[in-house]
């Protein structure tokens, strides 16, 4: 069974790019439009890995990570932060929240797939 | 290869984001520059920048980056919304829309319009914007005399609580090492106690020792633990670090790594 990825980003273009790249690599993909939608879908998605943007309305990426890491289900799922920012302070904040890794946009398709395969064992 | 359907969807999304940007700037001009409004304006520019990068729209990305940086200063209250700033932001919004049009029409941007607007934005950033530090991991470098020769590595790592808490799995690391060559794997269990009830479910008690043969150098091993150039596996701080030791034919190279 292919790994299931939950991709959370308020940009429909980024959601489309992630879906296209990951489905072409054989992953199943569920998308969410912001942090609130993402946390809701996480409860039922049984995701093997979560990708989340940082800057989103309603609940940002750090809020998503905090909710996942303190939740009742699947709290140890790998979570990748996907953002245009690369500052050390922000990375530290993501680490403190419990993110597994950090990917800078624009992402390289092959590198992203390789990392996800490594983290999910796919 | 750029998916034309996704590119078209990007330009459609830009239209929506530019409307949101315009509405937000109008609210700010009307005296409503609360954090929610400024954040919404910031996210509009940020989203255009983020998606434009995927299509190598460099002129659009470059301008949006400076625009976004000024807005970030504003939302952090390091700038105040006076008439001058509002005028500059409005002009930047117009230029951003022009750059989106130019990108869609595949024509060069009008630098005679873009450059002055860019300079105006940059004037609010001054010279005090701190350089963002890149997260850099450096491994100790082995000095080797003579030409490279195949050797065996002994890789030792003890995953700690932070390793498991961030969704990592030692089995995946060991699997990745297996892809590099012949391995022998040993789990050191001296960290376990006979009293299982005293063990914490989220703590690590095992030390993994992986002997990996037939390697020219340590580059591929570092890649397993460090990740690709665009992907940072977070490094734990010293206090909770899971130290990873790599020995090459008796010479020690110690990596402080996320594993």
């Amino acid at each position: 069974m292919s790994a299931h990825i939950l991709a959370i980003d308020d940009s429909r273009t980024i959601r489309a790019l992630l879906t296209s790249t990951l489905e072409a690599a054989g992953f199943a993909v569920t998308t969410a439009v912001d942090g609130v939608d993402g946390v809701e879908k996480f409860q039922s998605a049984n995701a093997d890995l979560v990708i989340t943007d940082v800057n989103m309305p309603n609940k940002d990426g750090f809020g998503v990570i905090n909710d996942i890491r303190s939740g009742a289900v699947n709290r140890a799922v790998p979570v990748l932060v996907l953002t245009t920012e690369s500052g050390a302070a922000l990375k530290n904040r993501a680490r403190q929240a419990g993110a597994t890794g950090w990917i800078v946009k624009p992402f390289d398709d092959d590198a992203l797939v390789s990392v996800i395969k490594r983290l999910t064992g796919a | 290869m750029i998916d034309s359907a996704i590119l078209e969807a990007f330009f459609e999304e830009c239209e929506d984001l530019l409307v949101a940007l315009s509405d937000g700037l109008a609210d700010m001009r009307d005296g409503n520059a609360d954090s929610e409004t400024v954040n919404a304006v910031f996210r509009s520019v940020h989203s255009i920048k983020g998606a434009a990068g995927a299509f190598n729209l460099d002129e659009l990305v470059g301008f949006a980056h400076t625009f976004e940086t000024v807005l970030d200063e504003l939302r952090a209250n390091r700038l105040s919304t006076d008439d001058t700033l509002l005028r500059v932001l409005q002009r930047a919004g117009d230029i951003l829309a022009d750059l989106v049009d130019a990108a869609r029409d595949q024509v060069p941007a009008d630098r005679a319009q873009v450059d002055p607007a860019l300079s105006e934005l940059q004037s609010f950033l001054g010279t005090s914007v701190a350089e963002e530090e890149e997260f850099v991991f450096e491994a100790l470098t082995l000095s080797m005399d003579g030409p490279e020769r195949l050797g065996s590595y002994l890789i030792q790592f003890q995953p700690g609580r932070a390793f498991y808490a961030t969704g990592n799995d030692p089995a995946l690391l060991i699997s990745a090492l297996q892809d590099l060559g012949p391995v022998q794997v040993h789990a050191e269990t001296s960290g376990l106690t006979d009293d299982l009830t005293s063990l914490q479910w989220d703590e690590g008690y095992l030390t993994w020792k992986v002997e990996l043969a037939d390697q020219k150098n340590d580059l591929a091993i570092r890649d397993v633990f460090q990740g690709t150039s665009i992907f940072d596996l977070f490094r734990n701080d010293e206090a909770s670090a899971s130290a990873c030791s790599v020995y090459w034919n008796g010479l020690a190279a110690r990596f402080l790594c996320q594993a």
Side-chain angles (χ1 to χ4, degrees):
Chain A
M1 182 181 293
S2 58
H4 183 197
I5 313 300
L6 173 62
I8 309 170
D9 200 302
D10 61 330
S11 164
R12 60 180 183 265
T13 304
I14 297 298
R15 293 197 303 272
L17 287 168
L18 284 171
T19 300
S20 173
T21 297
L22 298 180
E23 286 186 346
F27 296 108
V29 182
T30 296
T31 60
V33 301
D34 61 28
V36 170
D37 187 32
V39 171
E40 284 179 6
K41 286 182 175 167
F42 179 75
Q43 307 301 326
S44 56
N46 195 25
D48 297 296
L49 182 140
V50 176
I51 300 174
T52 181
D53 187 14
V54 171
N55 289 290
M56 296 182 290
N58 303 317
K59 187 187 292 280
D60 67 12
F62 301 123
V64 169
I65 299 168
N66 280 325
D67 284 1
I68 289 175
R69 295 294 184 229
S70 59
V73 296
N74 205 11
R75 67 164 68 174
V77 67
V79 179
L80 299 180
V81 172
L82 177 66
T83 179
T84 59
E85 301 177 69
S86 60
L90 223 54
K91 288 182 180 179
N92 282 333
R93 188 178 167 195
R95 183 184 67 167
Q96 294 294 331
T100 309
W102 186 280
I103 308 171
V104 178
K105 296 176 192 173
F107 56 85
D108 176 84
D109 292 356
D110 292 339
L112 176 65
V113 169
S114 172
V115 161
I116 291 176
K117 283 183 175 177
R118 182 184 303 173
L119 287 175
T120 59
Chain B
M1 178 186 252
I2 294 177
D3 185 316
S4 59
I6 299 180
L7 180 61
E8 186 176 334
F10 161 69
F11 287 119
E12 289 174 1
E13 183 176 21
C14 282
E15 295 297 324
D16 295 339
L17 291 169
L18 288 169
V19 168
L21 171 62
S22 177
D23 290 346
L25 290 174
D27 286 344
M28 291 169 65
R29 282 199 310 276
D30 292 340
N32 176 20
D34 61 14
S35 61
E36 186 176 331
T37 302
V38 176
N39 268 316
V41 170
F42 170 87
R43 282 197 305 273
S44 296
V45 178
H46 178 75
S47 293
I48 290 174
K49 185 189 89 167
F55 304 106
N56 300 315
L57 302 173
D58 296 337
E59 285 190 305
L60 179 53
V61 171
F63 186 86
H65 176 71
T66 304
F67 192 178
E68 172 197 75
T69 304
V70 172
L71 291 167
D72 197 31
E73 292 290 295
L74 180 60
R75 68 175 186 161
N77 295 316
R78 289 189 287 268
L79 289 174
S80 57
T81 50
D82 59 24
D83 289 345
T84 302
L85 177 62
L86 288 173
R87 178 184 58 77
V88 169
L89 293 178
Q90 181 62 59
R91 179 163 163 75
D94 294 339
I95 295 298
L96 190 67
D98 290 343
L99 286 167
V100 169
D101 289 342
R104 182 178 50 233
D105 298 336
Q106 299 183 54
V107 298
D110 183 356
R111 299 310 308 186
Q113 296 292 322
V114 174
D115 291 342
L118 193 58
S119 295
E120 286 183 325
L121 287 170
Q122 288 168 336
S123 71
F124 287 93
L125 300 177
T127 57
S128 62
V129 176
E131 285 292 320
E132 287 183 342
E133 290 184 18
E134 278 299 313
F135 176 78
V136 175
F137 171 83
E138 292 184 356
L140 296 176
T141 303
L142 294 176
S143 63
M144 292 186 279
D145 296 326
E148 283 185 343
R149 55 192 187 280
L150 296 179
S152 68
Y153 282 79
L154 176 61
I155 303 151
Q156 178 175 300
F157 64 101
Q158 181 182 6
R161 174 171 292 181
F163 175 88
Y164 292 107
T166 51
N168 288 283
D169 184 347
L172 298 178
L173 291 170
I174 293 170
S175 176
L177 290 171
Q178 286 179 315
D179 290 341
L180 300 180
V183 298
Q184 290 193 14
V185 183
H186 174 73
E188 174 59 56
T189 60
S190 59
L192 292 170
T193 69
D194 291 335
D195 180 12
L196 296 181
T197 61
S198 69
L199 299 178
Q200 300 297 313
W201 70 270
D202 57 349
E203 187 58 81
Y205 297 92
L206 301 177
T207 298
W208 295 97
K209 297 181 181 181
V210 180
E211 186 168 345
L212 175 62
D214 301 339
Q215 299 300 302
K216 290 183 181 177
N217 52 50
D218 62 359
L219 294 178
I221 299 171
R222 281 197 289 159
D223 187 54
V224 167
F225 289 97
Q226 184 175 350
T228 68
S229 61
I230 65 158
F231 174 73
D232 294 324
L233 284 173
F234 284 117
R235 183 176 64 184
N236 297 323
D237 55 46
E238 289 277 354
S240 61
S242 302
C244 170
S245 302
V246 178
Y247 299 88
W248 180 87
N249 286 1
L251 297 175
R254 181 172 178 275
F255 301 120
L256 184 64
C257 56
Q258 195 274 340

